[in-house]
Amino acid sequence: MRAVVLDGPGSIRVDTRPDPQLSGPDDVIVAVTAAGICGSDLHFYDGEYPFAESVALGHEAVGTVVEAGPQVRTVGVGDLVMVSSVAGCGSCPGCATRDPVMCFSGPRIFGSGALGGAQADLLAVPAADFQVLTIPDGITTEQALLLTDNLATGWAAARRADIPFGGTVAVIGLGAVGLCALRSAVMQGAAKVFAVDRVDGRRQRAAAWGATALTPPATEAILAATGGRGADSVIDAVATDASLTDALTAVRPGGTVSVVGVHDLKPFPLPALNCLLRSITLRLTTAPVQRTWPELIPLLLSGRLDVDGIFTTALPLDDAATGYAIAGSRSGDDVKILLTP
């Protein structure tokens, strides 16, 4: 099969690798029909995370089940499914919460070495009854891909931001996760959303969805717009030192900062005393992907939650290097790349 492989910073190629095999009776093999390039993939691509050998990339996939172990109950050969980006064992008390991060064996992420990469012709999925879901009629390929990671992450970010009905929210970073968080914040009760990004095109995209667009650092502008009080909630979908500092200073006393951006490997100098004196709640999370599906799918099917326009470019798998170069440019025209094996 073909698989997108990273050999080193900025070095992407499509490799030929052995087809994956079932490793357990509850596994499935999925023939991938669409895969997404995620901002998290860019941390490897940009050289922020070290790795010892070539990595098969990708953790966002939808496709057709082509082989299933004898203990798989919920899906079968021929079913069109989406695959959670984060995997758990599926049988422990932690996984019973439908949050793979709580897995007692530890969560695993596709495309990070522990499991195969989703940007490939085929993907082996363990504990399939926990990891995969048949795509309901009416859910598009793009929506299903967002449900595997970005939309689930943006939704969880808003959930954990303690947004009061009628409240004010700032979203820092307007990539796919940030835009999903913006739409989720409105769905969860925000009356006003500040959308913060360095890229003009991304700010314009958020403004078209009704947000007030700001250039970072945005603390002064947010304080001015809120009478010096600050935003009730801040969602940081970037998690650099600069964005975290902006988030912690732009939130009101007693407010919540919800972080879903991926920080680098260096410690962040947390202004702990300032947070203490202002009673700030700080939450950091990866998405409880499976837990979000019962909430998000009905909202998408009803049309109440709109995520159209987040995927901006579709390319064949063989053009993955071009896709990564586009994603790595972080332009205003291109937000999220879809690869089609």
Side-chain angles (χ1 to χ4, degrees), residues 248-283:
L248 290 168
T249 53
V251 72
R252 66 165 174 81
T256 298
V257 174
S258 175
V259 181
V260 288
V262 181
H263 195 261
D264 60 28
L265 298 179
K266 300 176 183 177
F268 169 65
L270 177 71
L273 179 59
N274 181 270
C275 293
L276 172 74
L277 294 175
R278 298 173 62 234
S279 296
I280 303 303
T281 297
L282 174 62
R283 294 196 174 107

PDB file of all heavy atoms in Angstrom, residues 248-283:
ATOM      1  N   LEU A 248      -4.223  34.316  29.034  1.00  0.00           N
ATOM      2  CA  LEU A 248      -4.308  34.467  30.487  1.00  0.00           C
ATOM      3  C   LEU A 248      -4.497  35.925  30.908  1.00  0.00           C
ATOM      4  O   LEU A 248      -5.027  36.190  31.986  1.00  0.00           O
ATOM      5  CB  LEU A 248      -3.055  33.891  31.149  1.00  0.00           C
ATOM      6  CG  LEU A 248      -2.935  32.362  31.080  1.00  0.00           C
ATOM      7  CD1 LEU A 248      -1.542  31.917  31.492  1.00  0.00           C
ATOM      8  CD2 LEU A 248      -4.004  31.689  31.943  1.00  0.00           C
ATOM      9  N   THR A 249      -4.074  36.844  30.076  1.00  0.00           N
ATOM     10  CA  THR A 249      -4.250  38.265  30.410  1.00  0.00           C
ATOM     11  C   THR A 249      -5.533  38.843  29.834  1.00  0.00           C
ATOM     12  O   THR A 249      -6.026  39.861  30.327  1.00  0.00           O
ATOM     13  CB  THR A 249      -3.055  39.102  29.917  1.00  0.00           C
ATOM     14  OG1 THR A 249      -2.838  38.841  28.522  1.00  0.00           O
ATOM     15  CG2 THR A 249      -1.791  38.756  30.685  1.00  0.00           C
ATOM     16  N   ALA A 250      -6.107  38.182  28.813  1.00  0.00           N
ATOM     17  CA  ALA A 250      -7.331  38.697  28.184  1.00  0.00           C
ATOM     18  C   ALA A 250      -8.591  38.175  28.867  1.00  0.00           C
ATOM     19  O   ALA A 250      -9.674  38.711  28.646  1.00  0.00           O
ATOM     20  CB  ALA A 250      -7.364  38.325  26.705  1.00  0.00           C
ATOM     21  N   VAL A 251      -8.472  37.141  29.697  1.00  0.00           N
ATOM     22  CA  VAL A 251      -9.646  36.581  30.360  1.00  0.00           C
ATOM     23  C   VAL A 251      -9.994  37.416  31.597  1.00  0.00           C
ATOM     24  O   VAL A 251      -9.118  37.975  32.253  1.00  0.00           O
ATOM     25  CB  VAL A 251      -9.400  35.101  30.729  1.00  0.00           C
ATOM     26  CG1 VAL A 251      -8.415  34.965  31.888  1.00  0.00           C
ATOM     27  CG2 VAL A 251     -10.700  34.378  31.028  1.00  0.00           C
ATOM     28  N   ARG A 252     -11.273  37.496  31.910  1.00  0.00           N
ATOM     29  CA  ARG A 252     -11.703  38.289  33.053  1.00  0.00           C
ATOM     30  C   ARG A 252     -11.368  37.565  34.359  1.00  0.00           C
ATOM     31  O   ARG A 252     -11.161  36.348  34.376  1.00  0.00           O
ATOM     32  CB  ARG A 252     -13.218  38.531  32.998  1.00  0.00           C
ATOM     33  CG  ARG A 252     -14.055  37.259  33.156  1.00  0.00           C
ATOM     34  CD  ARG A 252     -15.496  37.592  33.469  1.00  0.00           C
ATOM     35  NE  ARG A 252     -16.355  36.423  33.480  1.00  0.00           N
ATOM     36  CZ  ARG A 252     -16.471  35.578  34.505  1.00  0.00           C
ATOM     37  NH1 ARG A 252     -15.768  35.750  35.606  1.00  0.00           N
ATOM     38  NH2 ARG A 252     -17.292  34.534  34.423  1.00  0.00           N
ATOM     39  N   PRO A 253     -11.338  38.287  35.476  1.00  0.00           N
ATOM     40  CA  PRO A 253     -11.200  37.615  36.770  1.00  0.00           C
ATOM     41  C   PRO A 253     -12.318  36.593  36.965  1.00  0.00           C
ATOM     42  O   PRO A 253     -13.491  36.881  36.717  1.00  0.00           O
ATOM     43  CB  PRO A 253     -11.317  38.764  37.778  1.00  0.00           C
ATOM     44  CG  PRO A 253     -10.852  39.975  37.022  1.00  0.00           C
ATOM     45  CD  PRO A 253     -11.334  39.761  35.618  1.00  0.00           C
ATOM     46  N   GLY A 254     -11.949  35.409  37.396  1.00  0.00           N
ATOM     47  CA  GLY A 254     -12.925  34.342  37.562  1.00  0.00           C
ATOM     48  C   GLY A 254     -13.255  33.606  36.288  1.00  0.00           C
ATOM     49  O   GLY A 254     -14.077  32.684  36.298  1.00  0.00           O
ATOM     50  N   GLY A 255     -12.631  33.984  35.171  1.00  0.00           N
ATOM     51  CA  GLY A 255     -12.916  33.360  33.887  1.00  0.00           C
ATOM     52  C   GLY A 255     -12.108  32.099  33.660  1.00  0.00           C
ATOM     53  O   GLY A 255     -11.313  31.667  34.504  1.00  0.00           O
ATOM     54  N   THR A 256     -12.309  31.488  32.490  1.00  0.00           N
ATOM     55  CA  THR A 256     -11.681  30.215  32.165  1.00  0.00           C
ATOM     56  C   THR A 256     -10.904  30.313  30.865  1.00  0.00           C
ATOM     57  O   THR A 256     -11.404  30.875  29.878  1.00  0.00           O
ATOM     58  CB  THR A 256     -12.735  29.098  32.039  1.00  0.00           C
ATOM     59  OG1 THR A 256     -13.404  28.942  33.295  1.00  0.00           O
ATOM     60  CG2 THR A 256     -12.099  27.770  31.642  1.00  0.00           C
ATOM     61  N   VAL A 257      -9.704  29.773  30.887  1.00  0.00           N
ATOM     62  CA  VAL A 257      -8.887  29.619  29.677  1.00  0.00           C
ATOM     63  C   VAL A 257      -8.856  28.142  29.324  1.00  0.00           C
ATOM     64  O   VAL A 257      -8.448  27.309  30.140  1.00  0.00           O
ATOM     65  CB  VAL A 257      -7.462  30.159  29.883  1.00  0.00           C
ATOM     66  CG1 VAL A 257      -6.594  29.843  28.665  1.00  0.00           C
ATOM     67  CG2 VAL A 257      -7.496  31.663  30.135  1.00  0.00           C
ATOM     68  N   SER A 258      -9.314  27.812  28.129  1.00  0.00           N
ATOM     69  CA  SER A 258      -9.370  26.436  27.650  1.00  0.00           C
ATOM     70  C   SER A 258      -8.354  26.273  26.527  1.00  0.00           C
ATOM     71  O   SER A 258      -8.450  26.941  25.492  1.00  0.00           O
ATOM     72  CB  SER A 258     -10.785  26.114  27.148  1.00  0.00           C
ATOM     73  OG  SER A 258     -10.853  24.833  26.572  1.00  0.00           O
ATOM     74  N   VAL A 259      -7.386  25.399  26.739  1.00  0.00           N
ATOM     75  CA  VAL A 259      -6.268  25.253  25.792  1.00  0.00           C
ATOM     76  C   VAL A 259      -6.367  23.917  25.079  1.00  0.00           C
ATOM     77  O   VAL A 259      -6.394  22.855  25.709  1.00  0.00           O
ATOM     78  CB  VAL A 259      -4.909  25.339  26.524  1.00  0.00           C
ATOM     79  CG1 VAL A 259      -3.757  25.205  25.528  1.00  0.00           C
ATOM     80  CG2 VAL A 259      -4.805  26.656  27.293  1.00  0.00           C
ATOM     81  N   VAL A 260      -6.428  23.960  23.745  1.00  0.00           N
ATOM     82  CA  VAL A 260      -6.373  22.745  22.930  1.00  0.00           C
ATOM     83  C   VAL A 260      -5.258  22.812  21.900  1.00  0.00           C
ATOM     84  O   VAL A 260      -5.043  21.854  21.157  1.00  0.00           O
ATOM     85  CB  VAL A 260      -7.721  22.466  22.230  1.00  0.00           C
ATOM     86  CG1 VAL A 260      -8.757  21.992  23.219  1.00  0.00           C
ATOM     87  CG2 VAL A 260      -8.207  23.681  21.452  1.00  0.00           C
ATOM     88  N   GLY A 261      -4.546  23.937  21.833  1.00  0.00           N
ATOM     89  CA  GLY A 261      -3.362  24.001  20.994  1.00  0.00           C
ATOM     90  C   GLY A 261      -2.270  23.113  21.561  1.00  0.00           C
ATOM     91  O   GLY A 261      -2.267  22.781  22.753  1.00  0.00           O
ATOM     92  N   VAL A 262      -1.346  22.728  20.694  1.00  0.00           N
ATOM     93  CA  VAL A 262      -0.263  21.820  21.087  1.00  0.00           C
ATOM     94  C   VAL A 262       1.008  22.630  21.315  1.00  0.00           C
ATOM     95  O   VAL A 262       1.568  23.210  20.383  1.00  0.00           O
ATOM     96  CB  VAL A 262      -0.039  20.742  20.019  1.00  0.00           C
ATOM     97  CG1 VAL A 262       1.075  19.792  20.442  1.00  0.00           C
ATOM     98  CG2 VAL A 262      -1.324  19.957  19.782  1.00  0.00           C
ATOM     99  N   HIS A 263       1.450  22.666  22.567  1.00  0.00           N
ATOM    100  CA  HIS A 263       2.653  23.421  22.923  1.00  0.00           C
ATOM    101  C   HIS A 263       3.897  22.658  22.510  1.00  0.00           C
ATOM    102  O   HIS A 263       3.854  21.452  22.252  1.00  0.00           O
ATOM    103  CB  HIS A 263       2.658  23.678  24.441  1.00  0.00           C
ATOM    104  CG  HIS A 263       3.626  24.725  24.880  1.00  0.00           C
ATOM    105  ND1 HIS A 263       4.862  24.426  25.400  1.00  0.00           N
ATOM    106  CD2 HIS A 263       3.542  26.081  24.888  1.00  0.00           C
ATOM    107  CE1 HIS A 263       5.498  25.546  25.703  1.00  0.00           C
ATOM    108  NE2 HIS A 263       4.722  26.569  25.405  1.00  0.00           N
ATOM    109  N   ASP A 264       5.014  23.369  22.438  1.00  0.00           N
ATOM    110  CA  ASP A 264       6.280  22.701  22.122  1.00  0.00           C
ATOM    111  C   ASP A 264       6.825  21.993  23.369  1.00  0.00           C
ATOM    112  O   ASP A 264       6.137  21.890  24.393  1.00  0.00           O
ATOM    113  CB  ASP A 264       7.297  23.694  21.548  1.00  0.00           C
ATOM    114  CG  ASP A 264       7.623  24.840  22.501  1.00  0.00           C
ATOM    115  OD1 ASP A 264       7.516  24.641  23.733  1.00  0.00           O
ATOM    116  OD2 ASP A 264       7.984  25.932  22.033  1.00  0.00           O
ATOM    117  N   LEU A 265       8.025  21.493  23.295  1.00  0.00           N
ATOM    118  CA  LEU A 265       8.582  20.694  24.380  1.00  0.00           C
ATOM    119  C   LEU A 265       9.248  21.520  25.469  1.00  0.00           C
ATOM    120  O   LEU A 265       9.762  20.982  26.445  1.00  0.00           O
ATOM    121  CB  LEU A 265       9.597  19.693  23.807  1.00  0.00           C
ATOM    122  CG  LEU A 265       9.022  18.679  22.814  1.00  0.00           C
ATOM    123  CD1 LEU A 265      10.126  17.760  22.293  1.00  0.00           C
ATOM    124  CD2 LEU A 265       7.902  17.864  23.449  1.00  0.00           C
ATOM    125  N   LYS A 266       9.234  22.843  25.339  1.00  0.00           N
ATOM    126  CA  LYS A 266       9.844  23.709  26.340  1.00  0.00           C
ATOM    127  C   LYS A 266       8.811  24.110  27.391  1.00  0.00           C
ATOM    128  O   LYS A 266       7.639  24.296  27.073  1.00  0.00           O
ATOM    129  CB  LYS A 266      10.425  24.962  25.675  1.00  0.00           C
ATOM    130  CG  LYS A 266      11.506  24.666  24.644  1.00  0.00           C
ATOM    131  CD  LYS A 266      11.966  25.942  23.964  1.00  0.00           C
ATOM    132  CE  LYS A 266      13.004  25.651  22.886  1.00  0.00           C
ATOM    133  NZ  LYS A 266      13.404  26.894  22.171  1.00  0.00           N
ATOM    134  N   PRO A 267       9.212  24.276  28.637  1.00  0.00           N
ATOM    135  CA  PRO A 267       8.251  24.680  29.683  1.00  0.00           C
ATOM    136  C   PRO A 267       7.691  26.067  29.413  1.00  0.00           C
ATOM    137  O   PRO A 267       8.391  26.956  28.927  1.00  0.00           O
ATOM    138  CB  PRO A 267       9.096  24.654  30.967  1.00  0.00           C
ATOM    139  CG  PRO A 267      10.277  23.795  30.642  1.00  0.00           C
ATOM    140  CD  PRO A 267      10.552  23.999  29.188  1.00  0.00           C
ATOM    141  N   PHE A 268       6.428  26.254  29.750  1.00  0.00           N
ATOM    142  CA  PHE A 268       5.806  27.567  29.653  1.00  0.00           C
ATOM    143  C   PHE A 268       5.918  28.274  30.998  1.00  0.00           C
ATOM    144  O   PHE A 268       5.574  27.691  32.040  1.00  0.00           O
ATOM    145  CB  PHE A 268       4.333  27.430  29.263  1.00  0.00           C
ATOM    146  CG  PHE A 268       3.554  28.715  29.384  1.00  0.00           C
ATOM    147  CD1 PHE A 268       3.862  29.798  28.581  1.00  0.00           C
ATOM    148  CD2 PHE A 268       2.519  28.842  30.300  1.00  0.00           C
ATOM    149  CE1 PHE A 268       3.151  30.984  28.679  1.00  0.00           C
ATOM    150  CE2 PHE A 268       1.799  30.021  30.415  1.00  0.00           C
ATOM    151  CZ  PHE A 268       2.119  31.100  29.595  1.00  0.00           C
ATOM    152  N   PRO A 269       6.382  29.521  31.011  1.00  0.00           N
ATOM    153  CA  PRO A 269       6.509  30.250  32.290  1.00  0.00           C
ATOM    154  C   PRO A 269       5.154  30.756  32.768  1.00  0.00           C
ATOM    155  O   PRO A 269       4.791  31.912  32.563  1.00  0.00           O
ATOM    156  CB  PRO A 269       7.454  31.404  31.933  1.00  0.00           C
ATOM    157  CG  PRO A 269       7.225  31.649  30.471  1.00  0.00           C
ATOM    158  CD  PRO A 269       6.922  30.300  29.868  1.00  0.00           C
ATOM    159  N   LEU A 270       4.399  29.904  33.426  1.00  0.00           N
ATOM    160  CA  LEU A 270       3.048  30.242  33.876  1.00  0.00           C
ATOM    161  C   LEU A 270       3.088  31.370  34.911  1.00  0.00           C
ATOM    162  O   LEU A 270       3.776  31.249  35.930  1.00  0.00           O
ATOM    163  CB  LEU A 270       2.383  29.009  34.489  1.00  0.00           C
ATOM    164  CG  LEU A 270       0.988  29.210  35.078  1.00  0.00           C
ATOM    165  CD1 LEU A 270      -0.027  29.433  33.968  1.00  0.00           C
ATOM    166  CD2 LEU A 270       0.591  28.023  35.949  1.00  0.00           C
ATOM    167  N   PRO A 271       2.335  32.446  34.684  1.00  0.00           N
ATOM    168  CA  PRO A 271       2.246  33.521  35.687  1.00  0.00           C
ATOM    169  C   PRO A 271       1.294  33.100  36.805  1.00  0.00           C
ATOM    170  O   PRO A 271       0.174  33.606  36.938  1.00  0.00           O
ATOM    171  CB  PRO A 271       1.712  34.700  34.873  1.00  0.00           C
ATOM    172  CG  PRO A 271       0.907  34.073  33.783  1.00  0.00           C
ATOM    173  CD  PRO A 271       1.595  32.771  33.456  1.00  0.00           C
ATOM    174  N   ALA A 272       1.756  32.175  37.621  1.00  0.00           N
ATOM    175  CA  ALA A 272       0.879  31.507  38.587  1.00  0.00           C
ATOM    176  C   ALA A 272       0.287  32.478  39.602  1.00  0.00           C
ATOM    177  O   ALA A 272      -0.888  32.355  39.978  1.00  0.00           O
ATOM    178  CB  ALA A 272       1.652  30.392  39.300  1.00  0.00           C
ATOM    179  N   LEU A 273       1.081  33.437  40.077  1.00  0.00           N
ATOM    180  CA  LEU A 273       0.568  34.364  41.083  1.00  0.00           C
ATOM    181  C   LEU A 273      -0.562  35.202  40.512  1.00  0.00           C
ATOM    182  O   LEU A 273      -1.604  35.400  41.158  1.00  0.00           O
ATOM    183  CB  LEU A 273       1.694  35.259  41.599  1.00  0.00           C
ATOM    184  CG  LEU A 273       1.291  36.309  42.637  1.00  0.00           C
ATOM    185  CD1 LEU A 273       0.684  35.634  43.863  1.00  0.00           C
ATOM    186  CD2 LEU A 273       2.489  37.179  43.025  1.00  0.00           C
ATOM    187  N   ASN A 274      -0.387  35.697  39.299  1.00  0.00           N
ATOM    188  CA  ASN A 274      -1.428  36.503  38.665  1.00  0.00           C
ATOM    189  C   ASN A 274      -2.702  35.682  38.470  1.00  0.00           C
ATOM    190  O   ASN A 274      -3.814  36.163  38.712  1.00  0.00           O
ATOM    191  CB  ASN A 274      -0.917  37.029  37.321  1.00  0.00           C
ATOM    192  CG  ASN A 274      -1.937  37.908  36.619  1.00  0.00           C
ATOM    193  OD1 ASN A 274      -2.753  37.420  35.859  1.00  0.00           O
ATOM    194  ND2 ASN A 274      -1.863  39.204  36.874  1.00  0.00           N
ATOM    195  N   CYS A 275      -2.547  34.427  38.050  1.00  0.00           N
ATOM    196  CA  CYS A 275      -3.716  33.555  37.877  1.00  0.00           C
ATOM    197  C   CYS A 275      -4.402  33.287  39.212  1.00  0.00           C
ATOM    198  O   CYS A 275      -5.637  33.246  39.295  1.00  0.00           O
ATOM    199  CB  CYS A 275      -3.291  32.236  37.232  1.00  0.00           C
ATOM    200  SG  CYS A 275      -2.722  32.384  35.528  1.00  0.00           S
ATOM    201  N   LEU A 276      -3.603  33.105  40.241  1.00  0.00           N
ATOM    202  CA  LEU A 276      -4.157  32.869  41.567  1.00  0.00           C
ATOM    203  C   LEU A 276      -4.951  34.072  42.055  1.00  0.00           C
ATOM    204  O   LEU A 276      -6.100  33.952  42.511  1.00  0.00           O
ATOM    205  CB  LEU A 276      -3.023  32.564  42.546  1.00  0.00           C
ATOM    206  CG  LEU A 276      -3.395  32.467  44.021  1.00  0.00           C
ATOM    207  CD1 LEU A 276      -4.139  31.171  44.281  1.00  0.00           C
ATOM    208  CD2 LEU A 276      -2.168  32.570  44.907  1.00  0.00           C
ATOM    209  N   LEU A 277      -4.365  35.255  41.943  1.00  0.00           N
ATOM    210  CA  LEU A 277      -5.018  36.456  42.448  1.00  0.00           C
ATOM    211  C   LEU A 277      -6.282  36.790  41.668  1.00  0.00           C
ATOM    212  O   LEU A 277      -7.197  37.425  42.208  1.00  0.00           O
ATOM    213  CB  LEU A 277      -4.039  37.634  42.406  1.00  0.00           C
ATOM    214  CG  LEU A 277      -2.826  37.523  43.345  1.00  0.00           C
ATOM    215  CD1 LEU A 277      -1.879  38.696  43.120  1.00  0.00           C
ATOM    216  CD2 LEU A 277      -3.268  37.464  44.799  1.00  0.00           C
ATOM    217  N   ARG A 278      -6.346  36.363  40.413  1.00  0.00           N
ATOM    218  CA  ARG A 278      -7.519  36.653  39.575  1.00  0.00           C
ATOM    219  C   ARG A 278      -8.472  35.465  39.478  1.00  0.00           C
ATOM    220  O   ARG A 278      -9.446  35.508  38.742  1.00  0.00           O
ATOM    221  CB  ARG A 278      -7.058  37.098  38.187  1.00  0.00           C
ATOM    222  CG  ARG A 278      -6.229  38.383  38.229  1.00  0.00           C
ATOM    223  CD  ARG A 278      -5.635  38.734  36.870  1.00  0.00           C
ATOM    224  NE  ARG A 278      -6.688  38.972  35.893  1.00  0.00           N
ATOM    225  CZ  ARG A 278      -6.775  38.355  34.719  1.00  0.00           C
ATOM    226  NH1 ARG A 278      -5.874  37.427  34.388  1.00  0.00           N
ATOM    227  NH2 ARG A 278      -7.746  38.634  33.876  1.00  0.00           N
ATOM    228  N   SER A 279      -8.189  34.396  40.221  1.00  0.00           N
ATOM    229  CA  SER A 279      -9.057  33.205  40.261  1.00  0.00           C
ATOM    230  C   SER A 279      -9.329  32.646  38.862  1.00  0.00           C
ATOM    231  O   SER A 279     -10.467  32.348  38.494  1.00  0.00           O
ATOM    232  CB  SER A 279     -10.389  33.520  40.955  1.00  0.00           C
ATOM    233  OG  SER A 279     -10.174  33.855  42.308  1.00  0.00           O
ATOM    234  N   ILE A 280      -8.263  32.492  38.088  1.00  0.00           N
ATOM    235  CA  ILE A 280      -8.393  31.981  36.724  1.00  0.00           C
ATOM    236  C   ILE A 280      -8.448  30.453  36.742  1.00  0.00           C
ATOM    237  O   ILE A 280      -7.669  29.791  37.428  1.00  0.00           O
ATOM    238  CB  ILE A 280      -7.202  32.439  35.850  1.00  0.00           C
ATOM    239  CG1 ILE A 280      -7.098  33.963  35.838  1.00  0.00           C
ATOM    240  CG2 ILE A 280      -7.319  31.886  34.433  1.00  0.00           C
ATOM    241  CD1 ILE A 280      -8.341  34.664  35.366  1.00  0.00           C
ATOM    242  N   THR A 281      -9.363  29.885  35.975  1.00  0.00           N
ATOM    243  CA  THR A 281      -9.400  28.443  35.746  1.00  0.00           C
ATOM    244  C   THR A 281      -8.687  28.154  34.430  1.00  0.00           C
ATOM    245  O   THR A 281      -9.013  28.752  33.399  1.00  0.00           O
ATOM    246  CB  THR A 281     -10.844  27.925  35.671  1.00  0.00           C
ATOM    247  OG1 THR A 281     -11.489  28.145  36.923  1.00  0.00           O
ATOM    248  CG2 THR A 281     -10.876  26.438  35.345  1.00  0.00           C
ATOM    249  N   LEU A 282      -7.715  27.256  34.470  1.00  0.00           N
ATOM    250  CA  LEU A 282      -6.943  26.882  33.280  1.00  0.00           C
ATOM    251  C   LEU A 282      -7.172  25.406  33.006  1.00  0.00           C
ATOM    252  O   LEU A 282      -6.918  24.561  33.875  1.00  0.00           O
ATOM    253  CB  LEU A 282      -5.451  27.163  33.497  1.00  0.00           C
ATOM    254  CG  LEU A 282      -4.486  26.696  32.400  1.00  0.00           C
ATOM    255  CD1 LEU A 282      -4.794  27.404  31.079  1.00  0.00           C
ATOM    256  CD2 LEU A 282      -3.041  26.942  32.827  1.00  0.00           C
ATOM    257  N   ARG A 283      -7.656  25.091  31.809  1.00  0.00           N
ATOM    258  CA  ARG A 283      -7.901  23.706  31.426  1.00  0.00           C
ATOM    259  C   ARG A 283      -7.176  23.416  30.120  1.00  0.00           C
ATOM    260  O   ARG A 283      -7.215  24.215  29.186  1.00  0.00           O
ATOM    261  CB  ARG A 283      -9.391  23.433  31.248  1.00  0.00           C
ATOM    262  CG  ARG A 283     -10.201  23.530  32.538  1.00  0.00           C
ATOM    263  CD  ARG A 283     -11.563  22.874  32.354  1.00  0.00           C
ATOM    264  NE  ARG A 283     -12.286  22.844  33.622  1.00  0.00           N
ATOM    265  CZ  ARG A 283     -13.324  23.631  33.896  1.00  0.00           C
ATOM    266  NH1 ARG A 283     -13.757  24.490  32.997  1.00  0.00           N
ATOM    267  NH2 ARG A 283     -13.941  23.542  35.056  1.00  0.00           N
TER     268      ARG A 283
END
